[in-house]
Amino acid sequence: MRFVSTRGAGATAGFIDVLLAGLAPDGGLYAPAEWPRLTAEEIAAFAGAPYPEVAAAVLGRFTGGEIATPDLAAICHKAYASFAHPAVAPVTQLAPGRFLLELFHGPTLAFKDVAMQVLGGLFEHALAARGRTMTIVCATSGDTGGAAAAAFAGRTGVRLVILYPEGRISEVQRRFMTATGADNVACLAVKGDFDACQGMLKALFIDEAFVEDVSLAAVNSINFARIAAQIVYYFTAAVALGAPAREVSFAVPTGNFGDAYAGWAARRMGAPIERLIIATNANDILPRALNDGDYRRGQAIATSSPAMDIQVASNFERLFFEYAGRDASETGAAFAAFAREGAFTLPGPMRAAMGEVFTAVSVSEDEAARTMAATFAATGELVDPHTAVALAAAQVSPLGATPLVVLATAHPAKFPAAVEAATGVAPPVPAIVAALAERQERSEPIAADAEAVKAFVRGMR
């Protein structure tokens, strides 16, 4: 298995190099040179299999033999041993034809754990094999940072620096990052929004001298290994509802487009996915792009679903690349224009082709709150604001008889104020959240300036 950059410059890379690099040297994102394809028989064999076994089977299609099969299996089993539910990502019925895919049973109660716990093991394995130490810089809109802290705290050969937007995440999200007590984890409270954090991260990676100097890596969803690990639960959910004999659709709350792109990738690999509903909050760059062709950066708006308060959906570049016929020149030109001008127009034929798979819906704060209240009243189920956005989007996207799976991306206890305000009921507090309140936080304020971050990272050594 080899990987190419969406912008086409440079040689292809193997899985370990892609894992450790994150971003391609030309500023593009890595994608498989050829997509692996699973047969109907292989998909059917996932039925009843333990989640770690399915994860190892799917990830093994991308590793190209660079990680021995027993080692990959051991990494996956260890990654999911700490999850609170034996199924890891169980599917529960919410209403006739409507299901929740519960992705919040990991150590930080968010879907990011499902991929990040695997990444922690993959990094540790790869760095030990190469005798290397690396610095990981992670930009987060809320959940990625906590998941990264849980996955890398105390691991050998890794220093982790987390950039988060000061005052724009929930207290529980912040404490999952700042209260690890791990000497190899540092948190920087950025005076700006998530897009500023993400922009600084990309600026670090295009400084080749800095990358080499500190041995820089990334675990945001720009890292393809994150995408590969997220593909897994689309297969397990589809199989739980009758795949490969039965088609399934998914509603995905998304900001950076990584989770939705993973769904597209699962479909490309053979999962019988009829449709993917892209659900965003008021930060609607994706609905504007898919519905009107206007991919334009806006000012990020603070909402009750902060992990989606994003106006630059980085993984959309990967989808553009695919629908441009893998034309790296066209992709590079479009995203260079976006970097310069903050906008480009999605070609009409490309938008039409994307529309055959995707529906994109923006959900207001009022709609999300009403959906939390209505869901609790009808089912007794408390859902977090991100999941509510996907549920609300699903209500305006009729799909006929096809079962619809809504990704429940965070535990309601991560956003207690928003849940209680909408439903009148405070979500139960898991023991892990209660324990966070007793731990000391460590964080440093920093300006939204890439040079300031570089200076901090250099000072860690």
Side-chain angles (χ1 to χ4, degrees):
M1 169 63 72
R2 304 295 292 176
F3 293 82
V4 297
S5 168
T6 54
R7 303 190 187 183
T12 61
F15 180 80
I16 296 296
D17 287 333
V18 167
L19 169 73
L20 298 181
L23 197 68
D26 58 7
L29 305 183
Y30 282 116
E34 293 184 8
W35 282 99
R37 183 86 179 174
L38 277 64
T39 66
E41 292 74 21
E42 288 170 325
I43 295 170
F46 291 157
Y51 191 93
E53 290 184 14
V54 180
V58 172
L59 286 165
R61 297 304 184 99
F62 296 105
T63 58
E66 293 186 31
I67 300 176
T69 299
D71 291 337
L72 184 58
I75 288 168
C76 291
H77 278 278
K78 184 176 180 180
Y80 298 119
S82 64
F83 277 58
H85 197 291
V88 177
V91 176
T92 60
Q93 188 161 20
L94 192 64
R98 190 67 48 89
F99 301 84
L100 287 180
L101 174 56
E102 295 181 355
L103 299 173
F104 50 72
H105 294 289
T108 70
L109 309 179
F111 82 101
K112 309 282 187 172
D113 291 322
V114 182
M116 201 68 76
Q117 286 293 311
V118 174
L119 241 65
L122 289 173
F123 262 87
E124 192 167 53
H125 177 88
L127 292 174
R130 294 189 176 187
R132 294 180 60 188
T133 297
M134 297 197 78
T135 302
I136 295 172
V137 179
C138 165
T140 183
S141 56
D143 288 330
T144 296
F152 288 95
R155 287 202 185 260
T156 303
V158 174
R159 295 181 296 265
L160 174 65
V161 180
I162 302 170
L163 308 175
Y164 70 91
E166 186 177 27
R168 288 176 175 256
I169 61 177
S170 77
E171 179 182 355
V172 176
Q173 285 178 309
R174 188 189 70 242
R175 285 183 174 275
F176 270 122
M177 292 183 273
T178 60
T180 65
D183 291 337
N184 69 326
V185 176
C187 297
L188 300 179
V190 176
K191 297 188 180 301
D193 58 22
F194 169 73
D195 290 334
C197 299
Q198 185 166 248
M200 288 191 294
L201 179 66
K202 290 182 178 180
L204 302 187
F205 274 92
I206 62 176
D207 184 340
E208 294 182 11
F210 177 75
V211 170
E212 184 175 351
D213 183 30
V214 303
S215 193
L216 191 66
V219 292
N220 283 70
S221 56
I222 60 174
N223 192 315
F224 185 82
R226 274 272 305 276
I227 301 295
Q230 289 173 284
I231 290 169
V232 177
Y233 48 72
Y234 285 95
F235 276 105
T236 60
V239 167
L241 295 176
R246 186 189 199 189
E247 286 192 323
V248 182
S249 292
F250 291 87
V252 188
T254 191
N256 215 19
F257 198 66
D259 218 5
Y261 175 74
W264 178 90
R267 187 178 190 271
R268 179 68 179 78
M269 292 174 67
I273 297 173
E274 180 183 296
R275 198 149 195 86
L276 290 160
I277 299 170
I278 299 169
T280 74
N281 57 25
N283 296 282
D284 61 348
I285 186 172
L286 290 167
R288 283 187 281 110
L290 271 75
N291 296 330
D292 305 318
D294 184 26
Y295 189 75
R296 181 179 303 274
R297 181 189 295 116
Q299 184 66 40
I301 301 167
T303 74
S304 63
S305 46
M308 301 193 296
D309 291 350
I310 297 170
Q311 286 283 10
V312 180
S314 285
N315 280 286
F316 191 66
E317 180 170 338
R318 285 186 165 114
L319 191 74
F320 186 103
F321 175 68
E322 298 290 351
Y323 279 86
R326 306 199 125 212
D327 187 327
S329 296
E330 182 179 355
T331 305
F335 285 88
F338 183 72
R340 288 192 313 270
E341 303 162 15
F344 67 79
T345 299
L346 202 64
M350 181 184 294
R351 184 160 61 92
M354 290 179 179
E356 294 176 2
V357 178
F358 294 97
T359 299
V361 180
S362 174
V363 174
S364 71
E365 285 287 89
D366 286 345
E367 289 175 300
R370 285 196 300 270
T371 300
M372 281 189 275
T375 300
F376 180 70
T379 69
E381 187 86 24
L382 291 173
V383 297
D384 88 291
H386 304 75
T387 305
V389 166
L391 284 166
Q395 290 172 1
V396 297
S397 307
L399 295 170
T402 305
L404 176 65
V405 179
V406 176
L407 271 60
T409 52
H411 193 287
K414 294 198 81 167
F415 306 93
V419 173
E420 185 171 7
T423 65
V425 178
V429 180
I432 191 170
V433 173
L436 284 175
E438 305 300 320
R439 299 178 191 169
Q440 183 178 356
E441 293 189 78
R442 293 191 306 177
S443 179
E444 295 188 31
I446 196 165
D449 174 29
E451 294 304 317
V453 176
K454 290 177 187 178
F456 180 89
V457 171
R458 287 192 175 105
M460 290 182 69
R461 293 176 299 174

